[in-house]
Amino acid sequence: MAELKERTFIAIKPDGVQRGIIGEIIKRFEMKGFKLVGMKMLQASEDLLMQHYIDLKDRPFFPTLINYMSSGPVVAMVWEGKGVVKTGRVMLGETNPAESKPGTIRGDFCIDVSKNIIHGSDSVESANKEISFLTGLPQT
């Protein structure tokens, strides 16, 4: 029964919000059979983003990433369902949209790795951390 309650964190990044594709992304997760259990639009501060992306702080693209993610509102969502972490990652497509297959969110809606419109947790553990940290919702 616990696997039916698996949760993941999905965030529509500033470019996805600005382009008005929030509804399309939500529709895809709903059509797949997942349940939206939390959603919040927020303007992420640089401090919050620096904490969230701390593991990338030494990468050359870090300042650009922080600037991009703080450039506009983000839609933070919590989705629930069987295998939602793994399936959600498949639905998103590859980090680099040029390597994403048609039918995936990135494959259908973006072309640039630096503006790849969406984030999804890569494990149940990171989902729990991201849900708690970025939405204020309790961990499961």
Side-chain angles (χ1 to χ4, degrees), residues 28 48 110 132:
R28 287 180 181 220
L48 178 74
C110 58
S132 177

Side-chain angles (χ1 to χ4, degrees), residues 19-106:
R19 290 178 53 204
I21 57 175
I22 298 166
E24 177 63 33
I25 291 169
I26 291 172
K27 178 182 175 183
R28 287 180 181 220
F29 278 85
E30 288 178 331
M31 295 296 290
K32 189 69 177 175
F34 297 123
K35 180 181 177 183
L36 181 62
V37 295
M39 182 168 73
K40 174 172 150 178
M41 182 179 276
L42 66 138
Q43 179 73 43
S45 69
E46 287 189 16
D47 288 341
L48 178 74
L49 293 166
M50 286 184 186
Q51 291 174 41
H52 177 65
Y53 290 114
I54 193 75
D55 57 321
L56 301 175
K57 71 179 172 82
D58 295 327
R59 305 292 290 270
F61 59 82
F62 184 73
T64 304
L65 173 65
I66 300 301
N67 187 47
Y68 158 60
M69 289 298 294
S70 62
S71 68
V74 172
V75 174
M77 298 177 287
V78 180
W79 289 91
E80 185 177 88
K82 183 178 181 181
V84 71
V85 172
K86 183 178 179 183
T87 302
R89 296 282 293 185
V90 171
M91 290 171 63
L92 268 55
E94 300 298 322
T95 301
N96 182 347
E99 298 170 3
S100 292
K101 295 180 180 170
T104 65
I105 292 168
R106 290 180 179 137

